[in-house]
Amino acid sequence: MVKNPYIPTAVEIISIRPESEVDYTYRLAIDLDVDNGQFVEVSIPKVGECPISVSDFGNDYIDLTIRHVGKVTNQIANLEVGDKLGIRGPYGNGFPIEEYQGKDLVIAAGGTGLAPVKSIINHFYRNPEEINSLTLLLGFRNPANILFADEIAKWEEADHIDVILTVDEGDEEWAGNVGLVTGFVEQINFTDLANKEVVIVGPPIMMKFTSLEFMKHDIKEEQIWVSFERKMSCGIGKCGHCKMDDTYICVEGPVFNYTKAKNLVD
């Protein structure tokens, strides 16, 4: 019998970790064959369903970093460890992590855009021999909205990872960088350009201008990868809610090479 692709699996929440006032990471007890950058559909019966990027995963769990800002996610905020969420997926195409091995990889992430790439960062954090170098350019709205602060501190201590952390607006206690991500691209080492790969994830306007900034430094379009956040309702290319031109983001994406992404418009 063919399984109905719309029927979710009830999965137990085994931990909940606050990241900010509205962002929480839920660890779910499930063994999924996940690629870096894929997403799942998360549901609560009689409430609704929403797409959430997998922020990390292991042999018997996945992490979902969820912002409590909508109908479904506000209901998720009421759940506790031991409660269950409906999960179906994973869906979409992830990042081609094998193409980044042996390269100088740059990951530029804005706000919640860090979640879809966190598993890539942690992979190369644990396996430094697989990469030549890793540079992280991370931007957030303000210090209170910095996600994964403990892990960022861990990445900063790694010898093979360079971290540039900035916020759009600082406060009295913030002693770090202030300014948009685009203003710090010039701090990256742009030697050996042919060996570079660049991943950019964040709001559409951030991805557009950050990509242009990298290309000013002679990074080629085919060296840039982006990920789109859309209302991916079905996840399997049937409903059309995520469609851009003739492209179903949930099926062909959410990860695209810039050579394809630059032509996707609403």
Side-chain angles (χ1 to χ4, degrees):
M1 180 179 293
V2 177
K3 181 181 178 181
N4 187 331
Y6 293 107
I7 296 178
T9 299
V11 180
E12 182 180 354
I13 300 171
I14 56 178
S15 71
I16 302 174
R17 185 178 70 244
E19 306 290 352
S20 73
E21 289 186 357
V22 294
D23 299 285
Y24 290 77
T25 295
Y26 294 78
R27 179 159 291 187
L28 306 178
I30 185 172
D31 186 8
L32 282 182
D33 184 13
V34 183
D35 288 334
N36 301 276
Q38 286 188 303
F39 69 96
V40 294
E41 294 285 348
V42 180
S43 61
I44 297 179
K46 299 182 180 180
V47 177
E49 189 175 51
C50 61
I52 301 292
S53 297
V54 177
S55 56
D56 215 341
F57 55 89
N59 291 331
D60 56 359
Y61 72 89
I62 61 171
D63 285 350
L64 305 178
T65 301
I66 299 174
R67 172 162 286 189
H68 299 154
V69 292
K71 178 182 177 182
V72 179
T73 56
N74 282 335
Q75 287 297 317
I76 293 175
N78 297 324
L79 300 180
E80 300 176 349
V81 171
D83 291 335
K84 293 185 177 181
L85 280 171
I87 298 293
R88 59 183 180 89
Y91 297 119
N93 291 311
F95 292 96
I97 193 169
E98 68 282 350
E99 294 191 27
Y100 306 151
Q101 295 177 349
K103 300 290 187 67
D104 295 313
L105 177 62
V106 180
I107 297 178
T112 56
L114 180 55
V117 296
K118 186 166 81 75
S119 61
I120 303 177
I121 299 170
N122 279 333
H123 174 83
F124 288 123
Y125 172 82
R126 295 188 298 265
N127 302 279
E129 73 283 355
E130 292 186 7
I131 199 163
N132 190 47
S133 70
L134 176 58
T135 301
L136 307 179
L137 177 51
L138 312 177
F140 297 93
R141 183 176 301 173
N142 53 51
N145 282 304
I146 293 177
L147 303 182
F148 316 121
D150 291 344
E151 288 185 274
I152 291 174
K154 177 184 68 176
W155 301 334
E156 289 176 326
E157 295 177 355
D159 292 337
H160 65 295
I161 302 177
D162 290 325
V163 179
I164 303 172
L165 176 64
T166 182
V167 297
D168 297 346
E169 301 174 356
D171 56 31
E172 294 180 356
E173 298 180 0
W174 178 253
N177 296 314
V178 176
L180 301 178
V181 163
T182 50
F184 293 88
V185 170
E186 61 184 16
Q187 293 188 12
I188 294 170
N189 184 351
F190 284 99
T191 59
D192 195 12
L193 291 177
N195 200 49
K196 276 207 165 28
E197 296 285 342
V198 178
V199 171
I200 304 172
V201 185
I205 195 71
M206 172 266 181
M207 291 194 295
K208 174 183 177 180
F209 286 101
T210 305
S211 297
L212 293 174
E213 199 65 34
F214 274 98
M215 286 187 283
K216 289 180 183 178
H217 292 272
D218 297 323
I219 297 296
K220 297 180 180 178
E221 292 182 349
E222 55 266 32
Q223 294 174 281
I224 300 175
W225 305 83
V226 300
S227 180
F228 287 104
E229 288 189 359
R230 303 283 291 176
K231 179 56 177 175
M232 295 175 279
S233 297
C234 72
I236 55 176
K238 300 299 183 182
C239 72
H241 284 116
C242 70
K243 192 176 180 183
M244 299 176 74
D245 293 334
D246 294 325
T247 300
Y248 291 89
I249 304 302
C250 67
V251 176
E252 297 184 46
V255 175
F256 293 93
N257 187 264
Y258 188 81
T259 55
K260 169 75 173 181
K262 68 178 182 178
N263 296 316
L264 296 177
V265 294
D266 286 315

